[in-house]
Amino acid sequence: MPRTSTCRVCAGVVGEFLDLGQQPLSDAFVLRDHRPEFSYRLAVGLCERCSMVQLMEEVPRDRMFHDAYPYLSSGSTRVRAHFEEFAEGLLRSTTEPDPFFVEIGCNDGAMLKVLADAGVRHIGVEPSGGVADRAAAKGVQVRKDFFDEHVAEDIVARHGRADVVFAANTLCHIPYLDSVLRGVLTLVKPNGVFVFEDPYFAEIIGQTAFDQIYDEHFFYFTVRSVGALAARNGFDLVDVRWIPLHGGELRYTLAAAGARPAAHSVGDLLSEEDALTLADPTTLARFADKVERNCRDLTATLRGLRDAGKRVVGYGATAKSATVLNFCGIGPDLIPYICDSSSTKQGRLTPGSHIPIRPPAAFSAPRPDYAVLFAWNHADEIMAKETDFRDAGGRWIRYVPHVRVT
Ligand code: SAH
Ligand code: TYD
Ligand code: ZN
């Protein structure tokens, strides 16, 4: 019997298409004297009614987002530049004399810092205390809360309605989207917009980027599923734009139903999605086969290198890497350590697989022969920093879209 669950958007039947097994929380980097780790079953399904792709099992939100949440948006220069550019665009395009902007999941303030510096009214809603404090230290107005309809009502009561509500890599983290969208409808001005960007399911399928699947990524959006989600909640999907970050994302713009016409990009991408047969069981089964093959190839490559006496390390202790390491059964015997620039992760062990995390300085002393690029979405930035590794004969191991040594 195929496993099913109930759709978090429309209460339809969700049919499972990929089981990645028991997994620890992807951002729960442990200290050496770790206690037994929390685990959950990581599996993904497709709603046969509204086509929303989602996890079969939900992890309670405060287990993932808390004071010690380690992810920092500002860890990548390119990501920082992307958000600064977005904020500058907001400032340029507003015609309001005293505009007000709200960001859901502002993390360490990479985007809102620009608005704070410009003296423009804003609020970031961010439940993870440590990263919220980092944003506040940059002068950003932060409210430490999980955004929902109650928080939205309270913001309106205190500050009035917003011109734009923005969320990056956050909406897909929130299973209770009905409450969030009710909140945004209350919060945004009648002619305002809700803009959000998240990993694109078509890219995950197209690139076999199965490591995008982990506890925090509850939803995997498409234009079709977001269009249906918008319509159920009093919005129209009026624009979509491809964003060259994190392996390919879409930026969706929602407006109150009937307030704005839809751009051509919406219909164009819908047709593209139909041609890709994203909701077809054979497409999903083929993806699941590729994931299995990818893992087999990666472990075989790493075992071969270990047996040949080569030194292999990892680069980027991403949340994504938790899925790869734990699904493929890769531990410190194959990868003795992973280098990562986040002070919040260094000195800890990767969840489940318990590979030590070291600062990037450990990458050159001593030089490894091979490095697995777990932060493949930051390949350009990392390669540009680590040219010495290649110059000294070092080789990168990639596993998206397939395993290869470059
Ligand atoms: N926007 C940043 C951070 C993404 S990480 C970026 O794109 O880089 C996801 C963030 O969403 C985390 O900081 C997490 O604490 C926050 N988050 C999770 N659930 C939330 C909710 N219900 N409301 C607001 N933020 C939330
Ligand atoms: P990222 O891929 O952005 O996200 P996720 O954790 O959601 O999968 O994480 C990138 C990780 O790589 C982060 O821990 C910081 C690290 N990193 C470096 O160590 N050096 C770098 O130059 C960059 C860009 C990232
Ligand atoms: Zn559904």
Side-chain angles (χ1 to χ4, degrees), residues 6-14 46-54 232:
T6 303
C7 177
R8 284 300 251 122
V9 173
C10 78
V13 176
V14 176
L46 169 83
C47 174
E48 57 188 39
R49 190 192 289 166
C50 76
S51 85
M52 183 65 83
V53 176
Q54 56 201 282
R232 290 182 68 83

Side-chain angles (χ1 to χ4, degrees), residues 60-110:
R61 63 186 189 180
D62 8 56
R63 278 197 177 270
M64 299 183 282
F65 309 115
H66 43 64
D67 289 353
Y69 181 68
Y71 182 75
L72 303 172
S73 309
S74 299
S76 154
T77 311
R78 191 146 154 262
V79 168
R80 226 168 38 229
H82 168 77
F83 288 131
E84 285 166 5
E85 204 178 296
F86 179 79
E88 281 151 14
L90 281 182
L91 294 178
R92 263 198 316 275
S93 59
T94 185
T95 49
E96 294 290 323
D98 180 24
F100 177 45
F101 300 108
V102 175
E103 182 174 7
I104 304 173
C106 69
N107 197 265
D108 63 6

Side-chain angles (χ1 to χ4, degrees), residues 130-242:
V131 296
D133 288 343
R134 285 174 186 254
K138 295 172 186 162
V140 170
Q141 297 292 315
V142 194
R143 176 175 176 139
K144 285 188 193 172
D145 250 325
F146 286 95
F147 184 89
D148 64 8
E149 59 198 303
H150 307 296
V151 171
E153 279 160 20
D154 193 57
I155 293 176
V156 174
R158 288 166 194 263
H159 308 275
R161 295 175 84 174
D163 295 272
V164 176
V165 177
F166 178 65
N169 306 296
T170 297
L171 216 64
C172 73
H173 291 57
I174 310 182
Y176 41 99
L177 281 186
D178 47 349
S179 176
V180 168
L181 288 176
R182 270 198 298 275
V184 176
L185 203 55
T186 314
L187 177 56
V188 82
K189 289 179 184 168
N191 60 345
V193 284
F194 179 31
V195 180
F196 59 94
E197 44 194 57
D198 282 292
Y200 187 24
F201 185 60
E203 295 285 1
I204 294 176
I205 291 280
Q207 298 187 62
T208 318
F210 68 102
D211 56 349
Q212 288 285 15
I213 300 167
Y214 54 88
D215 52 350
E216 293 169 25
H217 287 175
F218 187 81
F219 290 115
Y220 304 85
F221 295 143
T222 60
V223 177
R224 184 157 306 283
S225 63
V226 168
L229 172 74
R232 290 182 68 83
N233 287 281
F235 286 98
D236 287 336
L237 172 60
V238 296
D239 201 6
V240 278
R241 189 181 140 186
W242 194 80

Side-chain angles (χ1 to χ4, degrees), residues 250-264:
L250 285 190
R251 177 182 290 164
Y252 305 88
T253 303
L254 270 50
R260 292 178 186 223
H264 288 299

